[in-house]
Amino acid sequence: MSEVTNESEKGSHFIRQIIVKDLEQGKKQGKSVVVQTRFPPEPNGYLHIGHAKSICLNFGMAEQFQGHCNLRFDDTNPEKESQDYIESIIEDIRWLGFKWQNNVKYASDYFDQLYQFALALIKAGKAYVCSLPAEDIRTYRGTLTEAGRVSPYRNRTVEENLALFEAMRQGQYQEAEHVLRAKIDMAAGNINLRDPVLYRIRYAQHHQTGNKWCVYPMYDYTHCVSDALEGITHSLCTLEFEDHRPLYDWILDQLDVPCHPQQIEFARLNLNYTVTSKRKLKQLVDEGVVQSWDDPRMPTISGMRRRGYSAASIRNFCHAIGVAKANSVVDMEMLEFAVRDDLDKSALRVMCVLNPIKLVITNYPEGQQEWLKAPCHPKLDLGYRQIPFMREVYIEADDFSEQPPPKYFRLAPGKEVRLRYGYVVRCEAVIKDETSGQVTEIHCTYDADTLGKKPQGRKVKGVIHWVPVDQALPCQVRLYDRLFLEAEPTQLDCDNPRSFLEKLNPESLRVLLCSYIEPYVRQVKPETCFQFERLGYFCADRWDCRPDNLVFNRTVSLRDGWAKVKG
Ligand code: ATP
Ligand code: MG
């Protein structure tokens, strides 16, 4: 174990330190001496970047200490859950690069045992059937400053409770007519201990158990028991469960379960300029603000994947933000840094002109074509691509200015610029549309003695990208930007749950339908990532990009603006 300890010391955080100490002290969990964690998503939405933090932590700790991590769906709320969500979650975790132990598990696998344990609680006088209406249960619970009131049903006999609970299970009552509650302490300072509900009646078809049950266990009851049945050693969860820990421990203390896992809380990941709440993300999908759960503007794992984030970049980001006990908001720039950093190492370089304008090299022979060699990566040995150079090329409309500001190093009348990997050209004339006055063509001459060479007797600072008119491939480019204009879109949210929808960035997506890219990418496979030179990182859309319909999504722009790029 010491070997592992030394090796990953630098990624240390308080949870890791707890685990190291537990292992040093030989702390056992039932039969388990290894680290056993679990990731317990509720299949009521797609996973988001916040979940990625929990995934990296749970799977990461198991991996680091040669333990295991279970994937267990917390499926106690059938009306909100679905098979589609289950499948997306499984796919996302695999894609992130993690493997779970054995089969996928479901809390519903334990419904029989949970029921038996509930009977045991009733028999021990630790649980009772309460017949107060839901509203009364709430008011009887009291407040932070006021003790709760005891339910008039609290003293039902064991026999009465067993009979009622069994009748609940058999479907003899309406929803909300009765619930099963733990009998703890209505005066407890911690409201979670004021006789919390353990079971409720729900006539809902369950995606795993069908119509077998009409009583469903509540999350707090299910979670600790599932953890114990799976021999979880460290049950890692987010901070909002800190106040539930006494209940977690109370339930396990009453039951004859194989072990008593240790619940440890850590801070949720909050990221600015976006939302990390499944409920809000679902609202964005349901109201058509975005196209789907995997819309590339969504902070969902599948959205980020479709946008072009690599799994490694997400893992690196989760590693970089660390694990702490205090809530904080992480800057979106950290995530963008992680993806740039990772893609810089692997993305192939190509040239793509987003907003084309035609440039004609008047002294270049018509019909002539030469192949220019360009490296696929500036640092790595990823080979070369050939780019056909011809008399007519497209350049970025932005790279030309009729009245250039000072220090403008791109193309302007009478000025020279280098076409990347090619020749130096000089702007001799512009052709304009007669009615609109817009520049439609730029006429240049080229200096034939500048291929791979500096021009004689003068300095040409600017280098711009281009593609050959005849051979470039038309493509669609989707420019994604932050989904919200404000750093914390959900602030002040309590008064108006829809207020975050008023802070959307109207330019979060701009679609360019007439861009052109090098012929090199003709056979591109979906999800291939490129650096479009001088522009940013782009990824062939996972669903829409085909050889006859090229579609690229902007993952992130380059940190250093185009002006700095050197030829
Ligand atoms: P949401 O509020 O988005 O619905 P949740 O906590 O209800 O999230 P679950 O499916 O229950 O979603 O989450 C599975 C696991 O992921 C839980 O252990 C939860 O604590 C963790 N998790 C959820 N959101 C975050 C986050 N923002 N940061 C870190 N961990 C998170
Ligand atoms: Mg949850």
Side-chain angles (χ1 to χ4, degrees):
M1 198 48 66
S2 60
E3 204 177 298
V4 176
T5 314
N6 293 338
E7 180 187 294
S8 32
E9 205 67 39
K10 66 175 182 338
S12 205
H13 47 67
F14 80 100
I15 292 182
R16 194 173 175 283
Q17 285 156 7
I18 292 173
I19 296 176
V20 167
K21 206 162 142 215
D22 286 348
L23 291 172
E24 275 168 9
Q25 293 176 352
K27 189 172 135 183
K28 272 195 184 181
Q29 205 59 279
K31 283 189 216 120
S32 185
V33 282
V34 294
V35 172
Q36 174 76 59
T37 56
R38 85 287 169 267
F39 174 66
E42 186 179 347
N44 61 352
Y46 280 52
L47 296 181
H48 55 63
I49 184 71
H51 294 113
K53 172 176 178 177
S54 177
I55 291 169
C56 289
L57 176 62
N58 279 294
F59 285 90
M61 285 299 98
E63 215 169 84
Q64 266 189 38
F65 295 101
Q66 285 120 44
H68 304 287
C69 181
N70 292 345
L71 168 58
R72 181 206 314 143
F73 286 101
D74 243 312
D75 56 346
T76 53
N77 214 348
E79 291 121 318
K80 295 205 166 145
E81 300 164 0
S82 80
Q83 193 59 32
D84 173 46
Y85 292 141
I86 290 178
E87 281 159 23
S88 76
I89 290 170
I90 289 177
E91 181 175 6
D92 287 347
I93 299 173
R94 282 213 178 104
W95 177 77
L96 274 176
F98 294 106
K99 287 199 183 77
W100 46 91
Q101 187 192 19
N102 304 323
N103 296 336
V104 172
K105 298 185 189 326
Y106 297 84
S108 55
D109 294 344
Y110 313 125
F111 279 177
D112 282 304
Q113 280 154 292
L114 285 158
Y115 187 78
Q116 293 305 319
F117 282 128
L119 294 179
L121 285 176
I122 294 173
K123 286 177 194 157
K126 303 284 185 178
Y128 62 97
V129 172
C130 179
S131 311
L132 283 175
E135 186 50 38
D136 290 355
I137 292 186
R138 216 169 301 131
T139 50
Y140 274 57
R141 193 173 290 141
T143 63
L144 285 173
T145 50
E146 244 174 78
R149 271 182 296 150
V150 165
S151 159
Y153 303 100
R154 200 172 198 255
N155 288 323
R156 278 176 165 153
T157 62
V158 168
E159 289 67 34
E160 202 181 347
N161 282 319
L162 285 174
L164 279 167
F165 190 47
E166 176 59 14
M168 280 166 67
R169 187 187 68 78
Q170 287 174 359
Q172 294 181 19
Y173 301 109
Q174 303 290 314
E175 289 189 0
E177 227 182 310
H178 306 289
V179 292
L180 184 73
R181 296 176 71 175
K183 193 190 264 189
I184 310 180
D185 179 4
M186 288 308 290
N190 182 337
I191 293 182
N192 293 301
L193 294 178
R194 295 183 189 168
D195 292 9
V197 174
L198 302 178
Y199 265 91
R200 56 187 179 161
I201 301 170
R202 277 284 179 284
Y203 291 96
Q205 169 95 12
H206 189 285
H207 47 95
Q208 301 303 310
T209 57
N211 289 323
K212 177 169 174 191
W213 297 92
C214 63
V215 287
Y216 288 100
M218 301 298 286
Y219 173 85
D220 277 331
Y221 172 61
T222 311
H223 196 75
C224 55
V225 173
S226 306
D227 279 351
L229 292 175
E230 291 178 9
I232 301 301
T233 54
H234 301 84
S235 179
L236 313 179
C237 64
T238 35
L239 229 43
E240 69 271 23
F241 291 102
E242 194 167 21
D243 287 347
H244 296 236
R245 185 169 5 112
L247 177 57
Y248 185 104
D249 289 333
W250 183 89
I251 293 170
L252 293 184
D253 285 342
Q254 314 310 313
L255 299 174
D256 182 18
V257 283
C259 67
H260 189 135
Q262 178 183 4
Q263 175 178 309
I264 308 169
E265 308 85 19
F266 63 95
R268 289 175 86 82
L269 164 64
N270 300 302
L271 195 59
N272 63 14
Y273 293 101
T274 192
V275 292
T276 46
S277 140
K278 272 187 283 186
R279 191 171 50 78
K280 293 203 173 66
L281 294 174
K282 185 166 187 307
Q283 211 174 330
L284 293 174
V285 177
D286 289 347
E287 299 194 14
V289 171
V290 294
Q291 282 157 11
S292 54
W293 280 96
D294 75 346
D295 186 301
R297 291 167 289 181
M298 292 280 271
T300 50
I301 311 254
S302 54
M304 294 170 70
R305 171 179 181 179
R306 190 165 170 200
R307 174 131 165 197
Y309 275 79
S310 57
S313 68
I314 296 175
R315 291 195 309 263
N316 293 345
F317 166 75
C318 291
H319 185 77
I321 57 173
V323 179
K325 194 101 189 164
N327 273 319
S328 64
V329 180
V330 172
D331 210 319
M332 177 66 96
E333 278 170 20
M334 266 186 89
L335 184 60
E336 292 170 350
F337 170 84
V339 69
R340 275 194 200 101
D341 186 55
D342 186 56
L343 293 183
D344 178 48
K345 294 178 198 138
S346 57
L348 299 176
R349 271 53 172 176
V350 295
M351 293 194 287
C352 178
V353 174
L354 301 185
N355 295 300
I357 183 166
K358 195 188 270 186
L359 183 153
V360 182
I361 305 164
T362 51
N363 60 341
Y364 196 87
E366 249 171 90
Q368 183 170 309
Q369 169 176 314
E370 60 191 297
W371 290 94
L372 303 179
K373 198 171 158 186
C376 292
H377 196 281
K379 288 169 244 159
L380 303 178
D381 187 12
L382 297 180
Y384 287 85
R385 63 199 204 263
Q386 303 281 348
I387 314 168
F389 186 78
M390 305 162 90
R391 182 182 157 92
E392 291 189 349
V393 301
Y394 288 125
I395 64 164
E396 209 70 68
D398 268 0
D399 281 339
F400 175 77
S401 172
E402 259 199 298
Q403 272 122 21
K407 297 205 170 169
Y408 187 80
F409 294 124
R410 291 166 282 157
L411 196 59
K415 291 276 166 49
E416 285 185 299
V417 79
R418 182 182 290 281
L419 297 177
R420 192 154 167 79
Y421 308 117
Y423 298 94
V424 169
V425 295
R426 176 193 303 275
C427 173
E428 309 287 1
V430 292
I431 310 293
K432 290 186 183 174
D433 181 278
E434 270 177 22
T435 39
S436 72
Q438 268 209 330
V439 177
T440 52
E441 252 180 53
I442 303 165
H443 284 195
C444 291
T445 52
Y446 85 115
D447 179 345
D449 196 28
T450 52
L451 188 62
K453 283 190 215 168
K454 288 189 176 147
Q456 290 271 318
R458 60 208 199 272
K459 259 199 178 142
V460 174
K461 279 198 179 163
V463 180
I464 61 173
H465 60 276
W466 57 277
V467 292
V469 168
D470 269 3
Q471 301 220 17
L473 308 172
C475 62
Q476 183 190 127
V477 177
R478 298 172 182 167
L479 298 177
Y480 292 104
D481 207 338
R482 291 174 183 178
L483 190 49
F484 291 94
L485 290 171
E486 283 180 33
E488 294 188 36
T490 54
Q491 231 179 13
L492 306 174
D493 188 39
C494 10
D495 301 336
N496 171 10
R498 296 185 53 79
S499 65
F500 77 107
L501 295 171
E502 287 152 23
K503 296 167 188 163
L504 288 163
N505 175 6
E507 303 218 329
S508 61
L509 169 60
R510 276 188 298 141
V511 181
L512 305 177
L513 295 170
C514 310
S515 302
Y516 286 96
I517 192 162
E518 281 180 40
Y520 174 73
V521 306
R522 194 181 302 277
Q523 296 301 332
V524 65
K525 291 204 176 66
E527 297 199 77
T528 310
C529 285
F530 295 98
Q531 187 194 93
F532 288 1
E533 300 198 40
R534 301 177 64 231
L535 297 174
Y537 294 97
F538 292 75
C539 160
D541 189 78
R542 187 175 176 199
W543 308 122
D544 301 336
C545 186
R546 297 185 309 269
D548 61 345
N549 178 47
L550 297 172
V551 180
F552 296 95
N553 300 331
R554 180 169 70 193
T555 314
V556 67
S557 57
L558 289 181
R559 178 194 305 280
D560 303 322
W562 31 260
K564 283 192 190 152
V565 177
K566 297 239 158 50

